[in-house]
Amino acid sequence: MGASHRRRNGPIWRLLALAATPLAIAVVALIAGLLAPPPPTLNGRAIAADGDSLRMGVTRIRILGIDAPEFGQTCTGQDGQSWNCGALAHSELSRLVATHTVTCYADGIDRYGRTLARCRAAGLDLGEAMVRAGMAVADGDYGLIELEARAARRGVWSGPFDRPADWRAHHGDDVGFDFFAWIRGWLR
């Protein structure tokens, strides 16, 4: 009787063990995630590399949640005049970080090896400030702030423009990089 009883229950226990395995893996992953150290915080003087990227020492940082015009990108104002919105976005981010300690909360690495982070300077969220000024578009975050900038026709919203991602698709990722402006940024 003992042997036949085991045969009937044997497959059930195997099925239960198979069903419990993914659950056990999920629990272990959850515990590992809770025990993992928080992402690093970067603190210090930062230099704007362009309108949505910083350099802090040798660390390259891409600000999460925004996409700013590229160096060589131009936009059109309400008056129909073309203006270098990429250079102005760089200038705005430079102004925001110029005399302040910048704190960045890392959240990964992008395909170019840059640290992805949310950054603050002088109490301001830099991504939010760039979108609010109309010098960057919201890229997954800051949507309501972008609507406010659009309604006020600030920055790129003052006239027609190509979204930075669309501009890069037509001009290439690295077109318009101004090496000398980048060096001047390091020397400031």
PDB file of all heavy atoms in Angstrom, residues 20-56:
ATOM      1  N   ALA A  20       6.588  25.643  -8.445  1.00  0.00           N
ATOM      2  CA  ALA A  20       7.184  26.490  -7.407  1.00  0.00           C
ATOM      3  C   ALA A  20       8.540  27.069  -7.830  1.00  0.00           C
ATOM      4  O   ALA A  20       8.967  28.091  -7.299  1.00  0.00           O
ATOM      5  CB  ALA A  20       7.332  25.694  -6.114  1.00  0.00           C
ATOM      6  N   THR A  21       9.203  26.445  -8.787  1.00  0.00           N
ATOM      7  CA  THR A  21      10.534  26.904  -9.190  1.00  0.00           C
ATOM      8  C   THR A  21      10.531  28.350  -9.683  1.00  0.00           C
ATOM      9  O   THR A  21      11.342  29.153  -9.210  1.00  0.00           O
ATOM     10  CB  THR A  21      11.131  25.949 -10.243  1.00  0.00           C
ATOM     11  OG1 THR A  21      11.218  24.648  -9.666  1.00  0.00           O
ATOM     12  CG2 THR A  21      12.504  26.411 -10.683  1.00  0.00           C
ATOM     13  N   PRO A  22       9.651  28.748 -10.613  1.00  0.00           N
ATOM     14  CA  PRO A  22       9.655  30.156 -11.043  1.00  0.00           C
ATOM     15  C   PRO A  22       9.357  31.110  -9.885  1.00  0.00           C
ATOM     16  O   PRO A  22       9.927  32.195  -9.802  1.00  0.00           O
ATOM     17  CB  PRO A  22       8.560  30.239 -12.102  1.00  0.00           C
ATOM     18  CG  PRO A  22       8.350  28.844 -12.564  1.00  0.00           C
ATOM     19  CD  PRO A  22       8.703  27.958 -11.408  1.00  0.00           C
ATOM     20  N   LEU A  23       8.476  30.690  -8.990  1.00  0.00           N
ATOM     21  CA  LEU A  23       8.156  31.523  -7.839  1.00  0.00           C
ATOM     22  C   LEU A  23       9.384  31.693  -6.949  1.00  0.00           C
ATOM     23  O   LEU A  23       9.684  32.798  -6.496  1.00  0.00           O
ATOM     24  CB  LEU A  23       6.999  30.913  -7.042  1.00  0.00           C
ATOM     25  CG  LEU A  23       6.579  31.673  -5.795  1.00  0.00           C
ATOM     26  CD1 LEU A  23       6.107  33.072  -6.161  1.00  0.00           C
ATOM     27  CD2 LEU A  23       5.497  30.918  -5.051  1.00  0.00           C
ATOM     28  N   ALA A  24      10.112  30.609  -6.722  1.00  0.00           N
ATOM     29  CA  ALA A  24      11.320  30.675  -5.898  1.00  0.00           C
ATOM     30  C   ALA A  24      12.362  31.580  -6.553  1.00  0.00           C
ATOM     31  O   ALA A  24      13.012  32.392  -5.881  1.00  0.00           O
ATOM     32  CB  ALA A  24      11.893  29.274  -5.674  1.00  0.00           C
ATOM     33  N   ILE A  25      12.509  31.495  -7.866  1.00  0.00           N
ATOM     34  CA  ILE A  25      13.462  32.350  -8.591  1.00  0.00           C
ATOM     35  C   ILE A  25      13.053  33.814  -8.455  1.00  0.00           C
ATOM     36  O   ILE A  25      13.889  34.691  -8.213  1.00  0.00           O
ATOM     37  CB  ILE A  25      13.572  31.917 -10.070  1.00  0.00           C
ATOM     38  CG1 ILE A  25      14.264  30.552 -10.149  1.00  0.00           C
ATOM     39  CG2 ILE A  25      14.314  32.966 -10.892  1.00  0.00           C
ATOM     40  CD1 ILE A  25      14.221  29.928 -11.524  1.00  0.00           C
ATOM     41  N   ALA A  26      11.754  34.092  -8.574  1.00  0.00           N
ATOM     42  CA  ALA A  26      11.263  35.462  -8.445  1.00  0.00           C
ATOM     43  C   ALA A  26      11.523  36.012  -7.046  1.00  0.00           C
ATOM     44  O   ALA A  26      11.922  37.172  -6.887  1.00  0.00           O
ATOM     45  CB  ALA A  26       9.776  35.527  -8.779  1.00  0.00           C
ATOM     46  N   VAL A  27      11.315  35.197  -6.033  1.00  0.00           N
ATOM     47  CA  VAL A  27      11.556  35.625  -4.652  1.00  0.00           C
ATOM     48  C   VAL A  27      13.043  35.926  -4.449  1.00  0.00           C
ATOM     49  O   VAL A  27      13.405  36.943  -3.851  1.00  0.00           O
ATOM     50  CB  VAL A  27      11.043  34.574  -3.649  1.00  0.00           C
ATOM     51  CG1 VAL A  27      11.539  34.852  -2.247  1.00  0.00           C
ATOM     52  CG2 VAL A  27       9.525  34.520  -3.678  1.00  0.00           C
ATOM     53  N   VAL A  28      13.913  35.051  -4.950  1.00  0.00           N
ATOM     54  CA  VAL A  28      15.355  35.272  -4.819  1.00  0.00           C
ATOM     55  C   VAL A  28      15.755  36.556  -5.548  1.00  0.00           C
ATOM     56  O   VAL A  28      16.535  37.371  -5.024  1.00  0.00           O
ATOM     57  CB  VAL A  28      16.154  34.057  -5.343  1.00  0.00           C
ATOM     58  CG1 VAL A  28      17.630  34.378  -5.480  1.00  0.00           C
ATOM     59  CG2 VAL A  28      15.948  32.864  -4.422  1.00  0.00           C
ATOM     60  N   ALA A  29      15.213  36.794  -6.738  1.00  0.00           N
ATOM     61  CA  ALA A  29      15.528  38.012  -7.496  1.00  0.00           C
ATOM     62  C   ALA A  29      15.047  39.257  -6.749  1.00  0.00           C
ATOM     63  O   ALA A  29      15.741  40.275  -6.705  1.00  0.00           O
ATOM     64  CB  ALA A  29      14.903  37.948  -8.885  1.00  0.00           C
ATOM     65  N   LEU A  30      13.872  39.178  -6.163  1.00  0.00           N
ATOM     66  CA  LEU A  30      13.335  40.303  -5.397  1.00  0.00           C
ATOM     67  C   LEU A  30      14.223  40.618  -4.200  1.00  0.00           C
ATOM     68  O   LEU A  30      14.573  41.778  -3.963  1.00  0.00           O
ATOM     69  CB  LEU A  30      11.911  40.000  -4.931  1.00  0.00           C
ATOM     70  CG  LEU A  30      11.254  41.062  -4.055  1.00  0.00           C
ATOM     71  CD1 LEU A  30      11.058  42.344  -4.845  1.00  0.00           C
ATOM     72  CD2 LEU A  30       9.936  40.553  -3.516  1.00  0.00           C
ATOM     73  N   ILE A  31      14.628  39.597  -3.486  1.00  0.00           N
ATOM     74  CA  ILE A  31      15.495  39.791  -2.324  1.00  0.00           C
ATOM     75  C   ILE A  31      16.837  40.372  -2.766  1.00  0.00           C
ATOM     76  O   ILE A  31      17.351  41.305  -2.157  1.00  0.00           O
ATOM     77  CB  ILE A  31      15.678  38.475  -1.542  1.00  0.00           C
ATOM     78  CG1 ILE A  31      14.346  38.099  -0.875  1.00  0.00           C
ATOM     79  CG2 ILE A  31      16.792  38.589  -0.514  1.00  0.00           C
ATOM     80  CD1 ILE A  31      14.320  36.715  -0.266  1.00  0.00           C
ATOM     81  N   ALA A  32      17.402  39.858  -3.855  1.00  0.00           N
ATOM     82  CA  ALA A  32      18.681  40.371  -4.360  1.00  0.00           C
ATOM     83  C   ALA A  32      18.538  41.840  -4.750  1.00  0.00           C
ATOM     84  O   ALA A  32      19.427  42.657  -4.486  1.00  0.00           O
ATOM     85  CB  ALA A  32      19.161  39.550  -5.549  1.00  0.00           C
ATOM     86  N   GLY A  33      17.419  42.206  -5.363  1.00  0.00           N
ATOM     87  CA  GLY A  33      17.187  43.595  -5.740  1.00  0.00           C
ATOM     88  C   GLY A  33      17.076  44.503  -4.534  1.00  0.00           C
ATOM     89  O   GLY A  33      17.563  45.632  -4.539  1.00  0.00           O
ATOM     90  N   LEU A  34      16.437  44.005  -3.489  1.00  0.00           N
ATOM     91  CA  LEU A  34      16.304  44.804  -2.273  1.00  0.00           C
ATOM     92  C   LEU A  34      17.634  44.959  -1.551  1.00  0.00           C
ATOM     93  O   LEU A  34      17.875  45.961  -0.889  1.00  0.00           O
ATOM     94  CB  LEU A  34      15.266  44.173  -1.343  1.00  0.00           C
ATOM     95  CG  LEU A  34      13.820  44.215  -1.844  1.00  0.00           C
ATOM     96  CD1 LEU A  34      12.922  43.416  -0.913  1.00  0.00           C
ATOM     97  CD2 LEU A  34      13.328  45.639  -1.973  1.00  0.00           C
ATOM     98  N   LEU A  35      18.497  43.967  -1.671  1.00  0.00           N
ATOM     99  CA  LEU A  35      19.780  44.010  -0.994  1.00  0.00           C
ATOM    100  C   LEU A  35      20.868  44.689  -1.822  1.00  0.00           C
ATOM    101  O   LEU A  35      21.932  44.995  -1.301  1.00  0.00           O
ATOM    102  CB  LEU A  35      20.232  42.588  -0.628  1.00  0.00           C
ATOM    103  CG  LEU A  35      19.342  41.845   0.375  1.00  0.00           C
ATOM    104  CD1 LEU A  35      19.869  40.433   0.578  1.00  0.00           C
ATOM    105  CD2 LEU A  35      19.261  42.591   1.689  1.00  0.00           C
ATOM    106  N   ALA A  36      20.588  44.916  -3.100  1.00  0.00           N
ATOM    107  CA  ALA A  36      21.585  45.549  -3.980  1.00  0.00           C
ATOM    108  C   ALA A  36      21.831  46.981  -3.515  1.00  0.00           C
ATOM    109  O   ALA A  36      20.915  47.655  -3.048  1.00  0.00           O
ATOM    110  CB  ALA A  36      21.092  45.550  -5.421  1.00  0.00           C
ATOM    111  N   PRO A  37      23.051  47.447  -3.646  1.00  0.00           N
ATOM    112  CA  PRO A  37      23.327  48.819  -3.240  1.00  0.00           C
ATOM    113  C   PRO A  37      22.584  49.795  -4.142  1.00  0.00           C
ATOM    114  O   PRO A  37      22.330  49.505  -5.304  1.00  0.00           O
ATOM    115  CB  PRO A  37      24.843  48.952  -3.424  1.00  0.00           C
ATOM    116  CG  PRO A  37      25.204  47.894  -4.395  1.00  0.00           C
ATOM    117  CD  PRO A  37      24.212  46.786  -4.213  1.00  0.00           C
ATOM    118  N   PRO A  38      22.236  50.972  -3.620  1.00  0.00           N
ATOM    119  CA  PRO A  38      21.554  51.957  -4.462  1.00  0.00           C
ATOM    120  C   PRO A  38      22.503  52.431  -5.552  1.00  0.00           C
ATOM    121  O   PRO A  38      23.717  52.325  -5.405  1.00  0.00           O
ATOM    122  CB  PRO A  38      21.228  53.090  -3.479  1.00  0.00           C
ATOM    123  CG  PRO A  38      22.181  52.916  -2.357  1.00  0.00           C
ATOM    124  CD  PRO A  38      22.496  51.445  -2.282  1.00  0.00           C
ATOM    125  N   PRO A  39      21.953  52.952  -6.642  1.00  0.00           N
ATOM    126  CA  PRO A  39      22.827  53.463  -7.702  1.00  0.00           C
ATOM    127  C   PRO A  39      23.734  54.553  -7.140  1.00  0.00           C
ATOM    128  O   PRO A  39      23.351  55.265  -6.212  1.00  0.00           O
ATOM    129  CB  PRO A  39      21.864  54.034  -8.738  1.00  0.00           C
ATOM    130  CG  PRO A  39      20.502  53.676  -8.316  1.00  0.00           C
ATOM    131  CD  PRO A  39      20.554  53.151  -6.927  1.00  0.00           C
ATOM    132  N   PRO A  40      24.907  54.698  -7.712  1.00  0.00           N
ATOM    133  CA  PRO A  40      25.834  55.697  -7.185  1.00  0.00           C
ATOM    134  C   PRO A  40      25.312  57.117  -7.375  1.00  0.00           C
ATOM    135  O   PRO A  40      24.603  57.419  -8.324  1.00  0.00           O
ATOM    136  CB  PRO A  40      27.109  55.471  -8.000  1.00  0.00           C
ATOM    137  CG  PRO A  40      26.665  54.772  -9.228  1.00  0.00           C
ATOM    138  CD  PRO A  40      25.443  53.991  -8.860  1.00  0.00           C
ATOM    139  N   THR A  41      25.680  57.961  -6.446  1.00  0.00           N
ATOM    140  CA  THR A  41      25.376  59.383  -6.538  1.00  0.00           C
ATOM    141  C   THR A  41      26.671  60.092  -6.915  1.00  0.00           C
ATOM    142  O   THR A  41      27.707  59.860  -6.316  1.00  0.00           O
ATOM    143  CB  THR A  41      24.857  59.909  -5.186  1.00  0.00           C
ATOM    144  OG1 THR A  41      23.671  59.193  -4.848  1.00  0.00           O
ATOM    145  CG2 THR A  41      24.539  61.388  -5.263  1.00  0.00           C
ATOM    146  N   LEU A  42      26.592  60.919  -7.938  1.00  0.00           N
ATOM    147  CA  LEU A  42      27.751  61.679  -8.396  1.00  0.00           C
ATOM    148  C   LEU A  42      27.574  63.121  -7.929  1.00  0.00           C
ATOM    149  O   LEU A  42      26.505  63.710  -8.099  1.00  0.00           O
ATOM    150  CB  LEU A  42      27.846  61.623  -9.920  1.00  0.00           C
ATOM    151  CG  LEU A  42      27.872  60.212 -10.512  1.00  0.00           C
ATOM    152  CD1 LEU A  42      27.619  60.263 -12.007  1.00  0.00           C
ATOM    153  CD2 LEU A  42      29.181  59.550 -10.202  1.00  0.00           C
ATOM    154  N   ASN A  43      28.600  63.676  -7.355  1.00  0.00           N
ATOM    155  CA  ASN A  43      28.546  65.027  -6.800  1.00  0.00           C
ATOM    156  C   ASN A  43      29.763  65.805  -7.241  1.00  0.00           C
ATOM    157  O   ASN A  43      30.870  65.289  -7.169  1.00  0.00           O
ATOM    158  CB  ASN A  43      28.595  64.921  -5.269  1.00  0.00           C
ATOM    159  CG  ASN A  43      27.397  65.523  -4.604  1.00  0.00           C
ATOM    160  OD1 ASN A  43      26.656  66.258  -5.222  1.00  0.00           O
ATOM    161  ND2 ASN A  43      27.240  65.205  -3.339  1.00  0.00           N
ATOM    162  N   GLY A  44      29.574  67.035  -7.674  1.00  0.00           N
ATOM    163  CA  GLY A  44      30.737  67.858  -7.999  1.00  0.00           C
ATOM    164  C   GLY A  44      30.435  68.912  -9.031  1.00  0.00           C
ATOM    165  O   GLY A  44      29.286  69.178  -9.375  1.00  0.00           O
ATOM    166  N   ARG A  45      31.505  69.487  -9.541  1.00  0.00           N
ATOM    167  CA  ARG A  45      31.394  70.496 -10.591  1.00  0.00           C
ATOM    168  C   ARG A  45      31.134  69.763 -11.904  1.00  0.00           C
ATOM    169  O   ARG A  45      31.789  68.773 -12.211  1.00  0.00           O
ATOM    170  CB  ARG A  45      32.712  71.266 -10.667  1.00  0.00           C
ATOM    171  CG  ARG A  45      32.752  72.314 -11.744  1.00  0.00           C
ATOM    172  CD  ARG A  45      33.988  73.201 -11.576  1.00  0.00           C
ATOM    173  NE  ARG A  45      34.509  73.770 -12.784  1.00  0.00           N
ATOM    174  CZ  ARG A  45      33.882  74.613 -13.581  1.00  0.00           C
ATOM    175  NH1 ARG A  45      32.662  74.963 -13.314  1.00  0.00           N
ATOM    176  NH2 ARG A  45      34.467  75.101 -14.657  1.00  0.00           N
ATOM    177  N   ALA A  46      30.186  70.267 -12.657  1.00  0.00           N
ATOM    178  CA  ALA A  46      29.854  69.654 -13.947  1.00  0.00           C
ATOM    179  C   ALA A  46      29.955  70.696 -15.052  1.00  0.00           C
ATOM    180  O   ALA A  46      29.788  71.890 -14.818  1.00  0.00           O
ATOM    181  CB  ALA A  46      28.449  69.069 -13.914  1.00  0.00           C
ATOM    182  N   ILE A  47      30.230  70.225 -16.240  1.00  0.00           N
ATOM    183  CA  ILE A  47      30.325  71.068 -17.425  1.00  0.00           C
ATOM    184  C   ILE A  47      29.332  70.517 -18.445  1.00  0.00           C
ATOM    185  O   ILE A  47      29.272  69.304 -18.673  1.00  0.00           O
ATOM    186  CB  ILE A  47      31.751  71.034 -17.997  1.00  0.00           C
ATOM    187  CG1 ILE A  47      32.731  71.621 -16.992  1.00  0.00           C
ATOM    188  CG2 ILE A  47      31.819  71.788 -19.318  1.00  0.00           C
ATOM    189  CD1 ILE A  47      34.173  71.363 -17.327  1.00  0.00           C
ATOM    190  N   ALA A  48      28.562  71.397 -19.049  1.00  0.00           N
ATOM    191  CA  ALA A  48      27.613  70.972 -20.077  1.00  0.00           C
ATOM    192  C   ALA A  48      28.381  70.544 -21.324  1.00  0.00           C
ATOM    193  O   ALA A  48      29.206  71.300 -21.840  1.00  0.00           O
ATOM    194  CB  ALA A  48      26.646  72.097 -20.413  1.00  0.00           C
ATOM    195  N   ALA A  49      28.122  69.331 -21.787  1.00  0.00           N
ATOM    196  CA  ALA A  49      28.724  68.845 -23.028  1.00  0.00           C
ATOM    197  C   ALA A  49      27.857  69.254 -24.217  1.00  0.00           C
ATOM    198  O   ALA A  49      28.344  69.519 -25.305  1.00  0.00           O
ATOM    199  CB  ALA A  49      28.891  67.333 -22.985  1.00  0.00           C
ATOM    200  N   ASP A  50      26.550  69.290 -23.993  1.00  0.00           N
ATOM    201  CA  ASP A  50      25.576  69.781 -24.964  1.00  0.00           C
ATOM    202  C   ASP A  50      24.319  70.106 -24.163  1.00  0.00           C
ATOM    203  O   ASP A  50      24.421  70.330 -22.960  1.00  0.00           O
ATOM    204  CB  ASP A  50      25.347  68.778 -26.112  1.00  0.00           C
ATOM    205  CG  ASP A  50      24.865  67.407 -25.659  1.00  0.00           C
ATOM    206  OD1 ASP A  50      24.299  67.280 -24.558  1.00  0.00           O
ATOM    207  OD2 ASP A  50      25.043  66.437 -26.421  1.00  0.00           O
ATOM    208  N   GLY A  51      23.156  70.096 -24.769  1.00  0.00           N
ATOM    209  CA  GLY A  51      21.943  70.485 -24.055  1.00  0.00           C
ATOM    210  C   GLY A  51      21.348  69.439 -23.141  1.00  0.00           C
ATOM    211  O   GLY A  51      20.454  69.746 -22.353  1.00  0.00           O
ATOM    212  N   ASP A  52      21.813  68.197 -23.231  1.00  0.00           N
ATOM    213  CA  ASP A  52      21.260  67.162 -22.354  1.00  0.00           C
ATOM    214  C   ASP A  52      22.334  66.242 -21.779  1.00  0.00           C
ATOM    215  O   ASP A  52      22.024  65.156 -21.281  1.00  0.00           O
ATOM    216  CB  ASP A  52      20.174  66.343 -23.067  1.00  0.00           C
ATOM    217  CG  ASP A  52      20.628  65.774 -24.405  1.00  0.00           C
ATOM    218  OD1 ASP A  52      21.847  65.590 -24.609  1.00  0.00           O
ATOM    219  OD2 ASP A  52      19.758  65.512 -25.255  1.00  0.00           O
ATOM    220  N   SER A  53      23.585  66.656 -21.841  1.00  0.00           N
ATOM    221  CA  SER A  53      24.696  65.846 -21.337  1.00  0.00           C
ATOM    222  C   SER A  53      25.668  66.706 -20.541  1.00  0.00           C
ATOM    223  O   SER A  53      25.873  67.871 -20.860  1.00  0.00           O
ATOM    224  CB  SER A  53      25.468  65.186 -22.481  1.00  0.00           C
ATOM    225  OG  SER A  53      24.624  64.360 -23.246  1.00  0.00           O
ATOM    226  N   LEU A  54      26.256  66.074 -19.527  1.00  0.00           N
ATOM    227  CA  LEU A  54      27.229  66.746 -18.673  1.00  0.00           C
ATOM    228  C   LEU A  54      28.503  65.928 -18.615  1.00  0.00           C
ATOM    229  O   LEU A  54      28.497  64.733 -18.902  1.00  0.00           O
ATOM    230  CB  LEU A  54      26.686  66.870 -17.243  1.00  0.00           C
ATOM    231  CG  LEU A  54      25.383  67.625 -17.029  1.00  0.00           C
ATOM    232  CD1 LEU A  54      24.859  67.398 -15.617  1.00  0.00           C
ATOM    233  CD2 LEU A  54      25.602  69.104 -17.287  1.00  0.00           C
ATOM    234  N   ARG A  55      29.568  66.584 -18.196  1.00  0.00           N
ATOM    235  CA  ARG A  55      30.807  65.895 -17.831  1.00  0.00           C
ATOM    236  C   ARG A  55      31.103  66.297 -16.402  1.00  0.00           C
ATOM    237  O   ARG A  55      31.070  67.474 -16.058  1.00  0.00           O
ATOM    238  CB  ARG A  55      31.954  66.291 -18.734  1.00  0.00           C
ATOM    239  CG  ARG A  55      31.835  65.710 -20.130  1.00  0.00           C
ATOM    240  CD  ARG A  55      33.073  65.952 -20.955  1.00  0.00           C
ATOM    241  NE  ARG A  55      34.158  65.044 -20.647  1.00  0.00           N
ATOM    242  CZ  ARG A  55      34.300  63.818 -21.125  1.00  0.00           C
ATOM    243  NH1 ARG A  55      33.378  63.332 -21.920  1.00  0.00           N
ATOM    244  NH2 ARG A  55      35.337  63.081 -20.823  1.00  0.00           N
ATOM    245  N   MET A  56      31.379  65.312 -15.580  1.00  0.00           N
ATOM    246  CA  MET A  56      31.775  65.537 -14.200  1.00  0.00           C
ATOM    247  C   MET A  56      33.089  64.796 -14.028  1.00  0.00           C
ATOM    248  O   MET A  56      33.098  63.570 -13.914  1.00  0.00           O
ATOM    249  CB  MET A  56      30.701  65.017 -13.238  1.00  0.00           C
ATOM    250  CG  MET A  56      30.895  65.473 -11.804  1.00  0.00           C
ATOM    251  SD  MET A  56      29.592  64.886 -10.695  1.00  0.00           S
ATOM    252  CE  MET A  56      28.165  65.791 -11.246  1.00  0.00           C
TER     253      MET A  56
END
